[in-house]
């Protein structure tokens, strides 16, 4: 089954057409990377899929159900979760609260104001497990806003996966990290997206070619190639439009 | 923490509520205690919005006032028709009214947070307050609507004529409402209120509609404000349009802010303090609203976290056993602070007398029981010298507090964990 399917998606801001007819199919369980120069529209594409912005035309289907036009929380409830390029957490809540807020809906607690949150064993266990996996268990009591950059990025991923979404969108999860932090983060992404469908924007070519099953190249709002890492590396058009540019 | 440790503050608070009228036995102070207790509910309901959900409302008195008016009409209907409904049940009616209007107005005002929400709350507040002046049959015009609480059906023999009986009725409601509002902060919804306050956008990407969270918070807050308003109705046996208007809305903002919106206990402190000041100041000075305004400005400028933050700051010092080390510095600073405040009060009182009362009552007045003439230069100069001198001295003594804090913290750090 196709986890995520985009058909001729376009998006204009005023006169400017930023996404110009993107068609993309991501099968279930695939790790799919989107690469492309700055300003190509990668983050905008994520914003469209996750419901942050409405699309101008086309269709977006999540597991064969149309999701364009839905609100972000409705899309999230259907099993798609995303992270942000610019860290987007709850800065004055503790690490534990950050994660727990992200698990509550998926466990069915909704807007409940009649049951104690601290007594919810499943929410606590899930949060503990996520904190363990993102390596922040020792910082559970600390305010998210005081974490280091790399820790905040890990928390960002933790919040994104906490609800158990089947389709995960990560927008440049390793941007701005040192080499050792990046290695750590790659292992983290690999671990937490095990068995899930992953769509990821990433600039570091080493990371992309190591992690992705398939790569799409987005240039000026159009996908110019979508293939295996091996074939993308050899693709002349891609080299010219993107990889060549990286080289010098 | 064990169960007893968790229950201790509640038991303590219940005891405090129970014995308070035997410590403060005069009629005025018992009335004041009653107002304090219902103001606590009102301020906590306001903080469900401000502190918990990050919504700054300028029209919260709408739900307090409407709850009160519905309650007073309910009481009169009960009296007229001789229903067997006793007084303690009446706040449920007012609470239902508050909830109803919270749902109605919340559905139009909680779409957005921030400035938009604040402006809509202000507009709705003005709308309701001006409608109240027009709809005289319901709101009673300038005289308001009166009732007689002792004519309702007795409740286990109590008719709630004496103030002490009403006090206990209000205190019981106060205890229950505090407990409920505290419990709500510790539910999935309560935590998502905090999340929406912190980052409404992110909340939407973990499955929650920020608007729905705000809407529920707003409705529940209306419910508790309505209960507070009906307690006011049965306490005073009169409701008038002032209790629905901007002054009342400003008062609850003041209570919450001065007490501290960031903690649960802050609004409780604020409600007690502001009620005390309101009752006592309005007796001794015509300029009491000016003092409230100044208090608000000073808090915003120098202590935006409110009084609760002072307590929170001192907690680790107290646990480290170093509180005594701060006291000398505090005592030294208290002197210029008191001088400065005395100068300020003298200035305000002289100005109040010279501008407002001298025309009809002559220039002779007395401040702090000291007779003086508001036309003479001397008291003015004394006031200015006290105020400016106190302020300058405070500037010099303040580093003592900082040093004492540094020393206390250093000692705590040296202690074995
Ligand atoms: N909300 C917006 N309004 C107007 N223009 C936007 C908006 N968001 C993105 N853009 C524009 O869309 C283009 C693509 O941006 P983005 O998707 O962030 O690129 P990428 O993530 O590939 O670097 C940029 O030129 C940017 O200025
Ligand atoms: Mg981007």
């Amino acid at each position: 089954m196709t986890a995520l399917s985009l058909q001729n998606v376009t998006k204009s801001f005023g006169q400017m057409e930023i996404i110009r007819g993107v068609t993309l199919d991501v099968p279930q369980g695939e790790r799919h990377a989107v690469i492309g120069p700055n300003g190509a529209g990668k983050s905008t594409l994520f914003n469209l899929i996750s419901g942050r912005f409405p699309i101008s035309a086309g269709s977006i289907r999540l597991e064969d159900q149309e999701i364009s036009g839905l609100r972000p929380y409705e899309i999230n409830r259907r099993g798609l979760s995303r992270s942000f390029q610019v860290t987007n957490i709850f800065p004055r809540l503790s690490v534990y609260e950050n994660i727990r807020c992200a698990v509550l809906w998926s466990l069915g607690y909704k807007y409940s104001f009649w049951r104690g949150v601290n007594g919810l064993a499943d929410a606590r266990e899930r949060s503990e497990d996520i904190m363990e996996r993102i390596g922040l268990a020792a910082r559970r009591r600390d305010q998210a806003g005081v974490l280091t950059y790399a820790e905040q990025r890990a928390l960002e991923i933790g919040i994104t996966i906490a609800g158990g979404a089947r389709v995960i969108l990560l927008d440049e999860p390793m941007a701005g990290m040192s080499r050792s932090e990046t290695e750590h983060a790659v292992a983290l992404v690999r671990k937490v997206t095990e068995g899930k469908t992953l769509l990821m924007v990433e600039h570091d070519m080493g990371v992309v070619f190591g992690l992705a099953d398939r790569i799409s190249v987005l240039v000026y709002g159009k996908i110019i190639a979508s293939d295996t890492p091996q074939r993308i590396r050899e693709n002349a058009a891609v080299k010219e439009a993107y990889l060549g540019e990286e080289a010098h | 923490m064990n169960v007893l440790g968790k229950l201790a503050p509640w038991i303590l608070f219940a005891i405090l509520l129970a014995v308070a009228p035997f410590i403060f036995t005069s009629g005025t102070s018992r009335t004041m205690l009653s107002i304090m207790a219902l103001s606590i509910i009102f301020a906590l309901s306001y903080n469900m919005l401000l502190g918990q959900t990050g919504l700054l409302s300028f029209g919260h008195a709408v739900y307090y006032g409407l709850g009160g008016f519905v309650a007073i009409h309910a009481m009169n209907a009960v009296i007229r028709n001789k229903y067997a409904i006793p007084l303690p049940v009446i706040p449920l009616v007012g609470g239902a009214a508050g909830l109803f209007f919270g749902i109605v107005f919340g559905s139009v005002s909680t779409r957005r947070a921030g400035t938009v929400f604040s402006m809509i709350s202000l507009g709705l507040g003005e709308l309701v307050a001006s409608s109240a002046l027009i709809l005289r049959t319901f709101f009673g015009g300038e005289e308001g609507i009166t009732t007689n609480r002792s004519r309702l059906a007795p409740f286990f023999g109590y008719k709630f004529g004496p103030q002490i009986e009403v006090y206990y009725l209000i205190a019981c409601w106060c205890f229950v409402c505090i407990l409920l509002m505290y419990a709500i902060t510790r539910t999935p919804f309560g935590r998502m209120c905090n999340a929406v306050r912190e980052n409404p956008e992110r909340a939407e990407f973990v499955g929650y509609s920020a608007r729905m969270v705000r809407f529920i918070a707003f409705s529940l807050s209306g419910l508790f404000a309505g209960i507070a308003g009906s307690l006011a109705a049965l306490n005073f046996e009169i409701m008038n349009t002032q209790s629905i208007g901007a002054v009342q809305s400003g008062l609850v903002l003041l209570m919450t802010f001065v007490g501290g919106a960031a903690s649960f206990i802050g609004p409780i402190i604020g409600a007690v303090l502001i009620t005390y000041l309101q009752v006592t100041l309005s007796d001794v000075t015509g300029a009491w609203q000016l003092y409230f305004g100044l208090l608000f400005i000073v808090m915003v400028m120098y202590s935006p976290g409110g009084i609760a933050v002072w307590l929170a700051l001192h907690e680790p010092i107290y646990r480290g056993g170093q509180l005594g080390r701060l006291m000398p510095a505090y005592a030294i600073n208290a002197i210029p602070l008191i001088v400065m405040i005395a100068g300020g009060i003298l200035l305000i009182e002289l100005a109040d007398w010279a501008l407002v009362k001298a025309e009809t009552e002559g220039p002779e007045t007395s401040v702090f029981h000291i007779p003086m003439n508001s036309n003479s230069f001397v008291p003015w100069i004394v006031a200015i010298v006290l105020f400016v001198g106190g302020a300058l001295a405070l500037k010099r003594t303040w580093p003592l507090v900082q040093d004492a804090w540094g020393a206390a913290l250093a000692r705590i750090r040296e202690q074995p964990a």
Side-chain angles (χ1 to χ4, degrees):
Chain A
M1 186 169 61
T2 330
L4 189 64
S5 169
L6 279 67
Q7 284 291 323
N8 260 315
V9 172
T10 67
K11 175 67 183 176
S12 307
F13 292 111
Q15 297 292 323
M16 289 279 288
E17 199 172 46
I18 300 294
I19 299 296
R20 303 183 299 151
V22 165
T23 296
L24 176 69
D25 280 323
V26 185
Q28 209 156 51
E30 182 173 274
R31 289 203 176 95
H32 194 115
V34 179
I35 65 173
N38 263 328
K42 305 180 294 295
S43 295
T44 303
L45 197 60
F46 273 26
N47 288 337
L48 298 178
I49 297 169
S50 62
R52 196 187 201 189
F53 300 149
I55 60 176
S56 302
S59 127
I60 303 175
R61 298 170 79 81
L62 175 69
E63 293 166 348
D64 292 333
Q65 303 236 323
E66 186 68 35
I67 57 166
S68 62
L70 296 185
R71 306 279 312 156
Y73 52 85
E74 293 169 318
I75 294 173
N76 181 273
R77 290 171 195 171
R78 289 173 182 223
L80 182 146
S81 185
R82 67 162 297 180
S83 77
F84 290 80
Q85 183 175 352
V86 178
T87 306
N88 203 349
I89 55 181
F90 304 107
R92 288 193 305 165
L93 303 186
S94 70
V95 168
Y96 178 62
E97 291 288 357
N98 266 266
I99 298 293
R100 191 169 60 179
C101 285
V103 309
L104 287 173
W105 188 277
S106 64
L107 291 175
Y109 294 116
K110 303 191 173 174
Y111 301 102
S112 164
F113 52 84
W114 50 87
R115 61 210 300 176
V117 71
N118 294 329
L120 305 175
D122 51 356
R124 185 177 60 242
E125 279 155 24
R126 175 96 74 92
S127 307
E128 296 287 350
D129 176 51
I130 300 284
M131 284 192 301
E132 207 62 60
R133 291 211 273 168
I134 59 174
L136 290 180
R139 307 214 60 173
R140 50 152 44 75
R141 285 172 195 282
D142 295 330
Q143 273 196 0
V146 308
L147 300 181
T148 67
Y149 177 75
E151 286 171 331
Q152 290 193 353
R153 295 306 294 173
L155 181 60
E156 175 82 41
I157 293 174
I159 293 172
T160 306
I161 59 157
R166 298 177 297 282
V167 179
I168 305 282
L169 273 54
L170 300 180
D171 195 350
E172 305 206 20
M174 291 103 186
M177 287 189 177
S178 70
R179 183 158 295 277
S180 68
E181 286 169 343
T182 302
E183 272 169 29
H184 201 77
V186 170
L188 172 64
V189 168
R190 203 188 291 278
K191 189 168 61 175
V192 299
T193 58
E194 198 68 56
K196 297 175 187 282
T197 309
L198 172 68
L199 188 64
M200 173 171 106
V201 174
E202 185 49 56
H203 269 300
D204 188 321
M205 285 308 125
V207 170
V208 171
F209 287 110
L211 202 57
D213 303 320
R214 221 149 56 92
I215 296 175
S216 291
V217 184
L218 188 73
V219 178
Y220 287 118
K222 273 204 155 111
I223 290 186
I224 61 164
S226 193
D227 221 324
T228 61
Q230 184 64 31
R231 304 262 292 272
I232 288 291
R233 212 193 299 262
E234 292 157 1
N235 186 313
V238 174
K239 269 186 198 156
E240 189 185 331
Y242 184 57
L243 297 180
E245 184 186 285
E246 283 272 293
H248 52 255
Chain B
M1 211 198 288
N2 58 24
V3 179
L4 203 66
K6 274 185 187 168
L7 286 181
W10 295 101
I11 296 170
L12 213 66
F13 183 65
I15 293 173
L16 203 67
L17 280 175
V19 303
F22 292 102
I23 301 170
F24 307 99
T25 48
S26 77
T28 1
S29 48
R30 282 177 178 176
T31 306
M32 179 149 73
L33 287 172
S34 306
I35 304 173
M36 280 176 181
L38 68 91
S39 298
I40 288 173
I41 303 175
F42 190 28
L44 282 175
S45 80
Y46 186 74
N47 208 37
M48 291 177 89
L49 301 180
L50 181 63
Q52 305 292 339
T53 319
L55 294 170
L56 174 61
S57 166
F58 291 122
H60 201 51
V62 165
Y63 312 95
Y64 174 86
L66 286 173
F69 272 104
V70 169
I72 213 158
H73 282 294
M75 285 163 76
N76 287 339
V78 168
I79 294 169
R80 245 191 338 270
N81 300 307
K82 301 197 165 49
Y83 292 135
I85 297 171
L87 194 65
V89 182
I90 291 297
L92 284 180
V93 181
L99 177 64
F100 173 78
F101 289 107
I103 289 171
V104 171
F105 293 143
S107 64
V108 296
S109 65
T110 54
R111 183 188 297 268
R112 301 273 302 277
T115 316
V116 177
F117 170 82
S118 298
M119 291 301 132
I120 295 175
S121 75
L122 190 64
L124 284 174
E126 285 305 303
L127 185 81
V128 172
S130 52
S131 314
L133 291 173
I134 300 164
L135 302 170
R136 298 180 66 90
T137 43
F138 187 79
F139 293 99
E142 252 132 57
E143 300 86 59
I145 303 280
T146 55
T147 190
N148 183 345
R149 64 184 178 232
S150 58
R151 289 182 56 204
L152 274 77
F155 180 71
F156 295 110
Y158 290 108
K159 301 204 74 178
F160 299 100
Q163 184 64 37
I164 183 86
E165 290 177 12
V166 179
Y167 167 77
Y168 279 115
L169 170 56
I170 295 175
C172 286
W173 271 100
C174 175
F175 188 78
V176 170
C177 287
I178 294 181
L179 203 63
L180 285 175
M181 283 188 269
Y182 181 72
I184 288 173
T185 64
R186 300 165 75 83
T187 62
F189 162 76
R191 292 303 145 128
M192 289 318 294
C193 285
N194 299 160
V196 164
R197 175 194 72 203
E198 291 295 306
N199 190 344
E201 180 181 58
R202 192 50 156 139
E204 300 234 314
F205 287 93
V206 297
Y208 281 87
S209 156
R211 182 182 180 188
M212 182 59 85
V213 170
R214 289 189 205 109
F215 171 69
I216 296 172
F218 196 88
S219 307
L220 289 176
S221 156
L223 164 71
F224 288 105
I227 292 175
S230 21
L231 292 172
L234 60 84
N235 182 61
F236 297 117
E237 300 182 296
I238 181 167
M239 283 300 286
N240 54 40
T241 49
Q242 276 158 25
S243 58
I244 222 164
V247 172
Q248 191 71 26
S249 292
L251 205 58
V252 74
L253 168 61
L254 183 70
M255 288 175 185
T256 309
F257 198 88
V258 167
S263 65
F264 185 80
I265 198 169
I268 301 178
I269 298 171
V272 170
L273 179 72
I274 298 296
T275 304
Y276 175 78
L277 290 179
Q278 192 187 12
V279 174
T280 51
L281 280 186
S282 58
D283 266 356
V284 296
T285 170
W288 62 276
Q289 280 172 321
L290 182 65
Y291 287 105
F292 274 18
L294 286 174
L295 176 65
F296 189 63
I297 292 170
V298 168
M299 289 302 283
V300 170
M301 283 171 61
Y302 296 105
S303 181
I307 294 170
V309 162
W310 306 350
L311 300 181
L313 278 175
H314 285 89
E315 201 221 315
I317 304 279
Y318 173 74
R319 271 192 288 115
Q322 301 295 317
L323 204 54
R325 295 189 177 274
L326 299 179
M327 289 309 148
Y330 283 175
I332 293 172
N333 273 271
I335 299 164
L337 185 66
I338 290 169
V339 170
M340 185 181 93
I341 292 173
I345 291 173
L346 189 50
L347 267 179
I348 291 170
E349 292 304 315
L350 282 170
D352 181 44
W353 195 268
L355 297 172
V356 183
K357 301 205 187 77
E359 206 172 314
T360 51
E361 299 180 36
E364 298 295 330
T365 178
S366 74
V367 183
F368 305 128
H369 303 291
I370 304 166
M372 56 187 73
N373 186 323
S374 66
N375 277 350
S376 136
F377 280 116
V378 182
W380 289 90
I381 288 168
V382 170
I384 290 169
V385 167
L386 287 178
F387 183 76
V388 175
L392 291 176
L394 189 61
K395 223 175 171 151
R396 294 192 144 238
T397 53
W398 188 247
L400 290 176
V401 169
Q402 289 166 327
D403 293 347
W405 263 88
L409 288 176
R411 273 176 184 272
I412 289 170
R413 243 176 276 123
E414 280 163 21
Q415 287 167 358

